[in-house]
Amino acid sequence: MKEQELKYFIDVVVNYFRDISGEPSEMGIPFIKEKNTILLDYTGLIGISGTKKGAIYLTASREMLSEITTILLGYENPEEELVVDMAGEIANTIAGNVRENFGASFMISVPIILKGCPEDVIIRMIPPIFIIPIKWRNHSAFLAVGLE
Amino acid sequence: MDKTNVDILWIIIASSLVFIMQAGFSFVESGLTRSKNSINVAIKNLTDLGVSVTAFWIIGFALMFGASASGIIGTTSFFTPFSSGVWIAAFFLFQAMFCSTSATIVSGAVAERMKYSSYIISTVVISAIIYPVSGHWAWGGAFTGVTEGWLGKMGFIDFAGSTVVHSVGGWVALAILFIIGPRTGRFSPDGTVNKINGSSIPTATVGVMLLWFGWFGFNGGSTLAMNQDVAGIIMKTVLAASTGMVATLIAGWAILKYPDVNLVINGTLAGLVAITAPCHVVNDREAALIGAVGGLIMFGISILLQRFRIDDAVDAIPVHLGAGAWGTLSVAFFGDPALINNGLSFTGQLAVQALGIVSVGAWAFGITYIFLYVINRLSPLRVTADNETSGLNVAEHGATTEIFDLYTVMDRQSRTGDLSLRVPVEPFTEVGQIADRYNQVIASLEENLVAKSDYVSILDNVSDGLFLMNRENIIAPHYSSSLENIFEKTGLSGTGFDELIKSLVSEKDYNSFLEYSALLFDGKISFRTLDRLNPLKKIDIHIDNRKGGFILKHIECSFLRIMEEDTVARVMAIVRDVTAETELASEMEKVKERSQSEMQMFYRILRIEPAMFIEFLASLEDNISRINEILENEKGGLKDMLNEIYRYVHAIKGDANLFELDFLARKAHNFESRIDELLGKENLENSDFLSLAVMVSELHNTVSQMQTLINQILSFQKDFTAHNSGSEELIVFSVRNMANRIASKAGKLITVDSKGFEILNIPPPIRRKVKEALVQLTRNSVIHGIETPDERNSYGKNVQGKITIAASKNDNGVRIIYRDDGRGIDFDSLKNRAVNSGKISREEDSSITREKLIELMFQPGFSTAESADLNAGRGVGMFLVRRIISEMNGRITVKTKKGEFCEFEFAIPVA
């Protein structure tokens, strides 16, 4: 996994948060996870195949997703269902952006949304997994990249 | 009775004509009913002729014309002895024919559902009892010429039998119809009357003509003599028939809006029946009128029967009963009293005609109904529904026609789809010709079907995906099942192959295929060229499994052109799933590759005692974890984090060198370089740490590889030295190894004295740290402290430098001593370095104490070496040592004498 490729993924996510909210977002210090991985409330998992195989995911807290939902849709205190849908939308958009940048060289799957279930996630990622904290407002989401 | 030969002759001729009416009835009934019952209808007509004549001979004639008992019934001449005289013979002949006529009227009405056996019973009942008795009431005594029947005595006139013959037949038929009910399908539940078409109108019309012809004798012969009336009677008969037909035709046409052939036929017959009673006492105009009205009445009664849901298969009742009643009444309406000559007034005649109609009706209807109702309870008069459907030809007579056989087989074939059946071919018949052609059609269909099932079988079982593709890349309907398995998708016919692969391969490959496909269909390009251009020759497809992952398959596609003349009509594609083989091959490749690079690693590791190596790996993993933790926890400023990380990387490098694992040491060195770079940067950003994370992962991978290898080695190793014992050797070994390695590179001679080093004095948890510290000190000693052999020699020292390590325990904790007999600390050098690097100013220069300088020595970045290399020089060794000891809450004491020794003492408290 090269630094440049990682940077591309990170840029897609950081830019996305910045664009939809108008507020700044930035990456934290990246680190590695060997066996376990970090999962918050909701996780959007995107499978990757082709020249590189594995998966990436974005995981965020309910609060963060709630706030984003509020910004995008205007509802105060959105319900769980809506938040989950939002998670799916975000994952889709990010997958689409990733596809735009990399689609020529590798296959990007349709993303799925998971709640918890670390086994489902780990099974797709090729270790070691790079975890990059993504900071937005006072929240931290995590972008995880597990590609060969 | 005195009859002349001419009379007898006429009676005989008339009888013959009436006989022909049997043929007429047979034709009419067969023609107006369905062919599946044709045999049944015909044979009933023939049968009732024989049965009725027999019954009439046995009792009928006697009851009708025997000596009368009170005008009700005849009592003599059973088994009529007609051979006893000419007159009786002729008379019997004539009357027998009339009886048969009455009997045969019934067969038409009840056709298509009455059992043959039941019909015979009813024929016997009519001919033996019903007809003769009512006949006696009207005509009793005719044989002797003296009226004896009670109706006749009252003045009832029925010349040739409108009532006696025809209406009796009608009444009996009506009674039976009430018992057996209508034919299946004749009346729908909602009240619709469904037309049931006859099998042959031409046959029916011939029948009518025969009946008409027969009527010449029926009416003409009823004079029982050849006299002047005969010609007129016959003529009036013909006229009535004609007007009956015409009137009914016109009326029917007007009402139904089309000329119904049934009305033409039955109108004629109605006219004939109507004129039968009065023909001897009316004139020609009256005859015409009677015939016409008879036809119309027949029409009306026919509609009435349908309204009442009474199914008369040939309209026998409207004709014979309806017109018959009218004819009987018209004797009173039109009959010339002078010719009637019985003294009755108009109303009187009318009354007695009506009486006759009613009494005969009651008798005929009543007796039939009672008798046959009882018989019906014992044995149904009607055939079963199935038999009615399959037709009485088959059901009653076991007879079939070729058409029926053809139909039966065709029906079975259409229901079962069994193409192996063949219909029977009756040679030299029209149906036989049809049957023969049909068999040929079926045979060729069967052939095609068998061939088709062969192909389908192949397609279902072949393991490759086979399909045909047209110019637009559309997949044709018949393809092999494996195609669906390969692409994990069903219902592919009509889909474009390009669409199918679009989501499974990269954009680049998809576009390549589109271009390739266009070329495929260009007939001018050679096959070999095309083959080289095939982008799907060997390709990976990624099927999104909708669970955030992919199913990866390796496939090989080849495309063959199918030419039609000079153009490419279609392309046959073969898709082979080679996933299993490819995975295996690539696994083997990977193993080979891994092997080569791992060999080096392997040899290095082999030289190391496994137990020690495990210890080393654990330490390595630990360091890596620490680095990762620093990244994860983000404590302190970025620069602080970098320094922290540096320490651990340095330790890793040290360890790697210890075991002469160049590849690892190199990686660690690169890591250090990078950290240095970042430390020199003005504005550090989080993104700068990306490269570090990548390096951590690389280290990690290397560790994994080594882990795998050591596991492999271990599995060969039988003995397994204890972890603890390895430790002792590990620390001493580490020091010794480090010393030897660097010494040989630096061209120095070193020995390590570990006599006082008792490992058990050092608690296991801190051993690793102790080792790290000692190894650092060793490095420094060998590089900076200990002099070259020549130098030592010139000082009078032993050419071999000595490093002494000792470990002891006391109440406070552990006491570890490291001592080398080298130069000792060079304070001047230290001072210069400090000044040069700006750590102290020139002013402080003179007043700086040794303690201060030693403190500086322990700070990071303070190396007196010219430049850094794999072994030392970054100036962090001492800093690391200090960190290690302070982590253990220990204290360092430094003793030194210039030119003689340098000693470090660690006092580490133990809980």
Side-chain angles (χ1 to χ4, degrees):
Chain A
M1 191 71 234
K2 299 201 198 57
E3 186 186 332
Q4 198 51 39
E5 286 165 346
L6 272 176
K7 241 191 156 295
Y8 277 141
F9 284 124
I10 295 166
D11 282 343
V12 167
V13 177
V14 163
N15 289 341
Y16 173 78
F17 282 116
R18 199 191 52 218
D19 290 341
I20 54 153
S21 66
E23 296 176 34
S25 125
E26 58 159 10
M27 68 174 276
I29 308 281
F31 53 95
I32 306 279
K33 276 291 185 196
E34 171 56 19
K35 290 190 194 60
N36 305 317
T37 188
I38 294 184
L39 287 176
L40 301 178
D41 295 323
Y42 297 101
T43 306
L45 179 66
I46 301 169
I48 297 191
S49 192
T51 48
K52 282 221 181 295
K53 295 182 183 49
I56 66 173
Y57 71 78
L58 190 62
T59 188
S61 66
R62 198 192 180 295
E63 287 73 34
M64 182 175 179
L65 282 173
S66 258
E67 280 185 40
I68 296 178
T69 311
T70 307
I71 291 178
L72 287 180
L73 299 178
Y75 297 121
E76 292 291 330
N77 290 328
E79 320 171 321
E80 166 108 0
E81 245 180 82
L82 197 55
V83 171
V84 173
D85 284 343
M86 201 71 240
E89 275 307 308
I90 295 172
N92 271 329
T93 311
I94 290 177
N97 291 345
V98 170
R99 211 176 275 123
E100 257 179 53
N101 287 324
F102 299 113
S105 26
F106 38 81
M107 315 285 301
I108 316 288
S109 85
V110 172
I112 59 167
I113 303 298
L114 299 165
K115 285 201 253 189
C117 309
E119 306 78 41
D120 288 348
V121 172
I122 287 171
I123 209 169
R124 309 244 177 268
M125 317 277 277
I126 310 267
I129 304 173
F130 287 89
I131 311 277
I132 301 110
I134 306 283
K135 301 181 205 271
W136 178 78
R137 288 194 178 172
N138 60 342
H139 301 288
S140 269
F142 291 99
L143 167 67
V145 179
L147 298 177
E148 63 185 24
Chain B
M1 304 241 327
D2 48 328
K3 299 285 176 183
T4 64
N5 283 344
V6 177
D7 297 328
I8 302 293
L9 179 63
W10 175 231
I11 293 173
I12 292 170
I13 293 173
S15 307
S16 313
L17 291 171
V18 176
F19 182 90
I20 287 174
M21 284 172 71
Q22 291 292 322
F25 277 111
S26 193
F27 274 144
V28 168
E29 287 166 20
S30 291
L32 292 180
T33 54
R34 292 171 287 189
S35 57
K36 65 183 181 181
N37 301 309
S38 58
I39 297 177
N40 188 260
V41 167
I43 206 67
K44 276 176 183 163
N45 271 289
L46 183 61
T47 307
D48 64 36
L49 178 57
V51 167
S52 62
V53 169
T54 309
F56 196 65
W57 174 62
I58 295 176
I59 25 174
F61 184 85
L63 292 179
M64 193 163 173
F65 295 109
S68 182
S70 325
I72 308 293
I73 195 171
T75 54
T76 60
S77 303
F78 292 95
F79 291 92
T80 316
F82 50 79
S83 48
S84 59
V86 170
W87 171 235
I88 188 166
F91 187 73
F92 177 82
L93 177 63
F94 194 61
Q95 293 304 329
M97 292 299 101
F98 270 57
C99 177
S100 300
T101 304
S102 182
T104 204
I105 287 167
V106 178
S107 69
V110 304
E112 305 205 296
R113 69 272 201 208
M114 191 171 186
K115 270 200 212 150
Y116 182 52
S117 52
S118 315
Y119 179 72
I120 294 175
I121 293 173
S122 73
T123 305
V124 169
V125 171
I126 293 186
S127 338
I129 300 170
I130 298 178
Y131 172 80
V133 170
S134 54
H136 184 84
W137 299 345
W139 291 349
F143 179 59
T144 51
V146 176
T147 308
E148 292 187 25
W150 68 272
L151 270 179
K153 284 204 200 144
M154 285 181 73
F156 178 74
I157 302 286
D158 184 2
F159 181 62
S162 290
T163 292
V164 173
V165 178
H166 295 281
S167 67
V168 163
W171 287 118
V172 171
L174 187 62
I176 297 177
L177 286 187
F178 275 123
I179 297 174
I180 65 172
R183 290 169 290 177
T184 310
R186 173 72 170 140
F187 299 115
S188 301
D190 61 355
T192 334
V193 180
N194 303 310
K195 209 165 161 42
I196 296 181
N197 285 322
S199 59
S200 170
I201 298 298
T203 306
T205 50
V206 170
V208 170
M209 288 179 187
L210 284 175
L211 283 172
W212 194 342
F213 180 51
W215 236 286
F216 290 18
F218 198 91
N219 289 356
S222 290
T223 52
L224 295 177
M226 178 40 79
N227 55 26
Q228 280 128 314
D229 299 327
V230 172
I233 285 168
I234 294 177
M235 201 50 239
K236 278 175 267 186
T237 303
V238 170
L239 188 59
S242 311
T243 56
M245 180 212 286
V246 169
T248 315
L249 177 62
I250 293 173
W253 211 326
I255 293 172
L256 303 175
K257 309 289 185 237
Y258 72 96
D260 186 347
V261 294
N262 282 11
L263 293 179
V264 179
I265 291 169
N266 288 327
T268 312
L269 295 176
L272 288 165
V273 170
I275 199 61
T276 300
C279 54
H280 65 315
V281 292
V282 297
N283 64 28
D284 39 8
R285 264 158 294 183
E286 287 158 347
L289 185 61
I290 290 167
V293 173
L296 295 175
I297 287 179
M298 178 284 301
F299 190 23
I301 304 270
S302 174
I303 294 173
L304 210 62
L305 282 184
Q306 289 178 34
R307 198 68 57 84
F308 283 105
R309 294 171 77 96
I310 296 170
D311 180 20
D312 181 335
V314 301
D315 276 333
I317 293 165
V319 168
H320 298 279
L321 174 54
W326 160 246
T328 308
L329 289 175
S330 59
V331 171
F333 287 127
F334 301 101
D336 183 352
L339 294 172
I340 294 174
N341 196 24
N342 58 9
L344 286 176
S345 64
F346 170 74
T347 43
Q349 189 67 49
L350 187 60
V352 81
Q353 294 303 102
L355 176 63
I357 293 169
V358 169
S359 57
V360 169
W363 163 254
F365 186 89
I367 297 296
T368 310
Y369 194 79
I370 294 166
F371 204 80
L372 290 179
Y373 182 82
V374 169
I375 291 183
N376 189 45
R377 298 294 289 246
L378 300 172
S379 162
L381 304 179
R382 190 176 173 152
V383 297
T384 62
D386 282 343
N387 283 342
E388 191 179 334
T389 312
S390 52
L392 302 186
N393 290 1
V394 177
E396 293 258 271
H397 307 287
T400 82
T401 54
E402 301 98 56
I403 274 198
F404 184 77
D405 289 340
L406 175 64
Y407 163 78
T408 310
V409 176
M410 282 171 78
D411 183 56
R412 184 151 101 239
Q413 210 157 48
S414 79
R415 273 184 289 112
T416 62
D418 181 358
L419 290 181
S420 64
L421 298 173
R422 297 286 178 271
V423 296
V425 176
E426 195 61 50
F428 309 116
T429 60
E430 251 178 30
V431 173
Q433 287 178 351
I434 296 174
D436 192 40
R437 285 295 175 279
Y438 181 77
N439 282 343
Q440 285 177 14
V441 169
I442 296 298
S444 90
L445 262 183
E446 197 186 5
E447 216 178 278
N448 280 337
L449 193 66
V450 166
K452 186 172 175 200
S453 83
D454 285 345
Y455 296 136
V456 169
S457 187
I458 292 175
L459 279 183
D460 277 342
N461 291 302
V462 71
S463 59
D464 294 338
L466 240 64
F467 66 93
L468 292 168
M469 195 168 85
N470 69 7
R471 218 161 262 275
E472 281 79 40
N473 300 319
I474 305 290
I475 300 173
H478 300 285
Y479 51 83
S480 69
S481 324
S482 298
L483 191 65
E484 290 185 347
N485 295 339
I486 291 174
F487 287 103
E488 314 230 349
K489 200 165 179 222
T490 55
L492 295 173
S493 96
T495 321
F497 183 63
D498 52 336
E499 240 184 83
L500 181 62
I501 61 165
K502 190 171 183 182
S503 56
L504 308 178
V505 301
S506 71
E507 212 178 299
K508 179 164 140 288
D509 289 327
Y510 168 71
N511 289 328
S512 299
F513 174 72
L514 286 180
E515 284 168 20
Y516 176 72
S517 167
L519 292 176
L520 258 181
F521 282 92
D522 184 344
K524 295 189 227 76
I525 302 182
S526 82
F527 178 69
R528 206 158 294 138
T529 314
L530 274 178
D531 192 53
R532 272 187 263 126
L533 293 172
N534 181 1
L536 304 182
K537 202 160 176 183
K538 205 172 165 50
I539 192 165
D540 294 347
I541 55 172
H542 312 268
I543 303 171
D544 189 335
N545 67 2
R546 301 277 142 181
K547 286 191 245 172
F550 287 94
I551 301 168
L552 174 66
K553 293 190 186 185
H554 307 283
I555 61 170
E556 287 171 3
C557 301
S558 39
F559 300 91
L560 285 81
R561 293 189 284 188
I562 298 173
M563 308 295 290
E564 236 163 69
E565 298 189 3
D566 284 328
T567 56
V568 182
R570 288 192 291 188
V571 162
M572 178 168 88
I574 306 173
V575 178
R576 180 162 290 175
D577 184 346
V578 291
T579 307
E581 302 97 292
T582 310
E583 302 271 283
L584 193 63
S586 93
E587 238 345 279
M588 284 170 63
E589 263 310 306
K590 277 202 214 135
V591 167
K592 247 184 10 187
E593 266 176 42
R594 256 208 322 265
S595 307
Q596 280 164 2
S597 74
E598 279 170 0
M599 265 310 143
Q600 207 199 28
M601 216 189 274
F602 197 70
Y603 288 135
R604 289 290 159 85
I605 293 175
L606 260 184
R607 292 202 264 117
I608 305 167
E609 171 103 26
M612 267 201 284
F613 189 70
I614 291 169
E615 169 76 37
F616 156 69
L617 271 188
S619 150
L620 188 54
E621 275 177 13
D622 197 40
N623 284 329
I624 295 176
S625 291
R626 295 297 174 82
I627 297 173
N628 202 36
E629 263 170 47
I630 294 170
L631 289 174
E632 188 170 347
N633 296 333
E634 285 188 66
K635 270 208 283 265
L638 294 179
K639 276 231 159 63
D640 293 325
M641 283 169 67
L642 282 176
N643 285 321
E644 280 272 333
I645 294 172
Y646 192 91
R647 186 208 132 181
Y648 290 105
V649 177
H650 195 70
I652 291 171
K653 194 169 88 172
D655 280 347
N657 281 325
L658 199 61
F659 289 93
E660 297 185 25
L661 300 170
D662 302 340
F663 51 89
L664 182 59
R666 219 170 295 126
K667 282 209 168 102
H669 186 75
N670 290 337
F671 203 151
E672 284 184 345
S673 301
R674 178 80 183 131
I675 296 180
D676 256 352
E677 252 179 70
L678 291 178
L679 279 171
K681 241 184 123 184
E682 280 295 315
N683 298 315
L684 271 179
E685 290 174 342
N686 290 344
S687 52
D688 293 322
F689 281 76
L690 262 179
S691 49
L692 301 187
V694 172
M695 283 179 159
V696 170
S697 82
E698 282 178 12
L699 281 178
H700 200 277
N701 286 343
T702 310
V703 169
S704 294
Q705 282 178 305
M706 291 196 285
Q707 189 74 55
T708 313
L709 282 175
I710 191 63
N711 286 340
Q712 284 171 344
I713 293 170
L714 274 181
S715 68
F716 292 126
Q717 268 241 339
K718 288 285 159 70
D719 60 328
F720 190 86
T721 46
H723 188 75
N724 283 338
S725 63
S727 272
E728 168 180 30
E729 293 186 293
L730 183 63
I731 296 183
V732 173
F733 168 83
S734 302
V735 168
R736 202 166 267 145
N737 202 22
M738 175 63 74
N740 289 337
R741 233 170 44 104
I742 301 177
S744 61
K745 284 211 185 110
K748 299 176 184 176
L749 297 168
I750 308 285
T751 182
V752 175
D753 179 356
S754 62
K755 277 196 299 292
F757 195 85
E758 191 55 61
I759 187 66
L760 294 174
N761 289 331
I762 307 179
I766 61 167
R767 281 180 195 170
R768 195 168 300 145
K769 290 197 171 41
V770 167
K771 180 207 78 180
E772 271 181 38
L774 289 178
V775 164
Q776 286 300 333
L777 291 180
T778 307
R779 193 192 278 143
N780 267 16
S781 285
V782 177
I783 293 172
H784 299 293
I786 297 191
E787 313 91 331
T788 62
D790 288 337
E791 238 183 288
R792 287 180 72 86
N793 202 16
S794 70
Y795 293 143
K797 284 176 163 176
N798 194 331
V799 289
Q800 213 178 35
K802 186 155 87 169
I803 294 175
T804 312
I805 53 176
S808 60
K809 219 166 36 181
N810 60 23
D811 291 331
N812 296 332
V814 180
R815 192 160 152 262
I816 296 169
I817 296 182
Y818 175 95
R819 184 186 171 113
D820 74 46
D821 67 353
R823 297 190 180 101
I825 295 175
D826 184 350
F827 285 104
D828 289 322
S829 182
L830 269 181
K831 196 157 64 169
N832 284 337
R833 182 83 179 131
V835 166
N836 286 340
S837 65
K839 290 251 189 262
I840 55 172
S841 61
R842 284 254 168 234
E843 292 78 53
E844 292 172 273
D845 174 0
S846 44
S847 61
I848 192 91
T849 60
R850 287 191 168 189
E851 283 77 15
K852 188 79 167 90
L853 281 172
I854 287 180
E855 275 231 16
L856 282 175
M857 187 179 76
F858 277 109
Q859 278 182 14
F862 209 82
S863 170
T864 52
E866 299 297 304
S867 60
D869 62 12
L870 273 178
N871 289 316
R874 294 205 198 274
V876 294
M878 300 312 289
F879 169 59
L880 271 173
V881 170
R882 189 188 192 169
R883 279 297 282 274
I884 291 170
I885 302 303
S886 62
E887 264 173 23
M888 294 188 284
N889 298 317
R891 251 187 28 241
I892 308 177
T893 312
V894 184
K895 291 189 194 142
T896 181
K897 184 151 184 203
K898 186 169 178 180
E900 281 192 29
F901 72 89
C902 179
E903 183 180 289
F904 294 90
E905 182 184 310
F906 303 143
I908 303 168
V910 174

